[in-house]
Amino acid sequence: MPRRGKASERQLALPLGREVHGDETAAGAGGGDAPVEGMDLLERVLEPDNLRRALHQVRRNKGAPGIDGMSVDHLVEHLKTHWPTIRASLVDGTYEPQPVRRVAIPKPGGGSRNLGVPIVLDRFIEQALLQVLQEEWDPTFSEGSYGFRPKRSAHQGVAQAQAYIRQGYTWVVDIDVEKFFDRVNHDVLMSRVRVRVKDRRVVRLIHRFLKAGVFTLEGMVEPTGEGTPQGGPLSPLLANLILDELDKELEKRGHRFVRYADDGNIYVHSRQAGERVMASVSRFLERRLRLKVNEAKSAVDRPWNRKFLGFTFTRSRPNRRKVSEKALKAFRAKVAGSEPRLGVEHGQVRSRSMASESEPSAGDCASDALPCGAGSAEPR
């Protein structure tokens, strides 16, 4: 056990009642792979101010209970009673995240997407981790990445895509990674985490979140051998971490691209160039990241024949943006009340058509009982 001093006592006491203002996920200075310096990263995660922010964000996101049935409203009292024991288990490496509860969310075009609902305590701890890691990692991510990042949005990504088209890059390599969040290779992901994080307690905790398992719709617990389930606050950051390697490769090759989570568009001058890029990127994803391009959803085509983040473009200059037909149909169905809400009001995962693009900013703490938080820009 680490030596208990005044800082440790403050963390156990969790002094409350302070207000937190401003942008909670403001990026710090960084460069390269930005390893998080020092072996005290977990202590930074457990700082009272960081915990207040995390609790504020989890409460603001609301969301359904996980497998233990605890609601967000009951989290504060649970932490008041049990926080010293929870913190001790985090510090000594014995904390065990619970399996996520699988939820099937309908897709606008048919079919469903599996999301994983963590228990609210795990969401709180993930959020506290996210706030510290994102501050360190985000400044090192590519300028071409727009998804789930502070001060970045889907609209900015679409505007950048439009700018490339107006510059004469009128062919698009539209890449969809097959079942990305379900297929992330844990060995590949954790190797990238270890490069950036020196505190092995944090590395171990992230690994345990990945391996926590899934409580299925059939009432069984399945082990998780791959994937980073959508639904937890850490999932988008880990997705950006692994796909940043693709971004850096595209930058090295001089490509013009826009990526939002697992949706990526690369803009080129000709179909022939696009076919070459599609083949080389597919090889890179399979060999380096052990991911596969979804050939049915990916294509080399004109931008006005494709949709990106709910938008497409007019054929003639100045290649104006317009809402895609698919997005319009989903919106009309929502207004008519004929389709259930697609968002998942927990963690950071919501439907692109419904989530806010603005960065969450912490206001006053909702109670005097613990944290406030910060999140990532979410897609629309």
Side-chain angles (χ1 to χ4, degrees), residues 298-314:
S298 303
V300 176
D301 205 340
R302 295 290 196 177
W304 42 86
N305 294 332
R306 308 292 295 179
K307 64 178 180 64
F308 183 51
L309 303 177
F311 286 86
T312 187
F313 303 92
T314 59

Side-chain angles (χ1 to χ4, degrees), residues 41-185:
L41 178 61
L42 185 59
E43 280 68 34
R44 290 172 55 191
V45 172
L46 297 175
E47 281 294 327
D49 285 347
N50 190 56
L51 295 174
R52 288 190 191 91
R53 293 165 51 203
L55 181 61
H56 174 82
Q57 188 66 24
V58 169
R59 295 182 68 181
R60 191 174 80 164
N61 286 341
K62 300 180 181 178
I67 63 170
D68 63 353
M70 184 189 298
S71 69
V72 172
D73 293 335
H74 290 106
L75 177 60
V76 170
E77 289 302 320
H78 181 79
L79 289 171
K80 280 183 176 180
T81 303
H82 299 287
W83 176 245
T85 302
I86 296 166
R87 183 188 179 278
S89 69
L90 288 165
V91 171
D92 66 25
T94 59
Y95 183 84
E96 292 287 349
Q98 296 299 300
V100 298
R101 179 169 62 86
R102 180 170 290 165
V103 178
I105 303 299
K107 289 184 178 181
S112 63
R113 174 186 295 110
N114 286 332
L115 301 183
V117 182
I119 64 171
V120 291
L121 176 60
D122 285 345
R123 299 208 295 264
F124 166 61
I125 293 169
E126 282 194 49
Q127 180 67 33
L129 275 169
L130 168 70
Q131 289 163 185
V132 174
L133 295 176
Q134 188 170 59
E135 182 177 306
E136 298 288 341
W137 295 357
D138 191 81
T140 73
F141 289 159
S142 168
E143 286 297 314
S145 169
Y146 290 86
F148 303 107
R149 297 182 61 190
K151 304 184 186 301
R152 285 177 169 254
S153 68
H155 281 184
Q156 292 173 341
V158 173
Q160 182 60 70
Q162 182 183 38
Y164 289 143
I165 296 167
R166 287 175 170 176
Q167 292 168 18
Y169 297 89
T170 55
W171 287 88
V172 61
V173 183
D174 186 353
I175 295 176
D176 181 89
V177 181
E178 188 174 274
K179 296 183 178 179
F180 171 73
F181 285 95
D182 296 330
R183 299 279 174 83
V184 169
N185 183 280

Side-chain angles (χ1 to χ4, degrees), residues 1-19:
M1 285 284 291
R3 182 170 57 89
R4 287 277 303 280
K6 291 184 179 180
S8 178
E9 291 170 359
R10 286 198 302 271
Q11 289 167 340
L12 286 174
L14 285 171
L16 309 171
R18 290 181 55 192
E19 295 181 347

Side-chain angles (χ1 to χ4, degrees), residues 335-350:
V335 171
S338 61
E339 190 171 294
R341 183 176 176 84
L342 302 179
V344 175
E345 299 300 329
H346 73 272
Q348 296 192 348
V349 179
R350 298 176 186 161

Side-chain angles (χ1 to χ4, degrees), residues 67 98-103 114-117 182 210-217 219-226 229:
I67 63 170
Q98 296 299 300
V100 298
R101 179 169 62 86
R102 180 170 290 165
V103 178
N114 286 332
L115 301 183
V117 182
D182 296 330
L210 291 174
K211 297 292 188 183
V214 178
F215 190 79
T216 69
L217 300 174
M220 305 291 289
V221 176
E222 291 181 353
T224 45
E226 60 182 358

Side-chain angles (χ1 to χ4, degrees), residues 282-330:
S282 297
R283 287 194 300 269
F284 180 88
L285 286 170
E286 290 185 19
R287 294 175 182 177
R288 291 288 295 275
L289 304 182
R290 301 185 194 176
L291 296 168
K292 187 176 180 181
V293 170
N294 186 329
E295 295 182 3
K297 294 184 178 180
S298 303
V300 176
D301 205 340
R302 295 290 196 177
W304 42 86
N305 294 332
R306 308 292 295 179
K307 64 178 180 64
F308 183 51
L309 303 177
F311 286 86
T312 187
F313 303 92
T314 59
R315 180 188 301 264
S316 57
R317 288 182 178 274
N319 305 113
R320 292 186 175 87
R321 286 172 269 176
K322 64 178 184 178
V323 179
S324 70
E325 284 298 319
K326 185 175 180 180
L328 282 174
K329 288 179 182 178

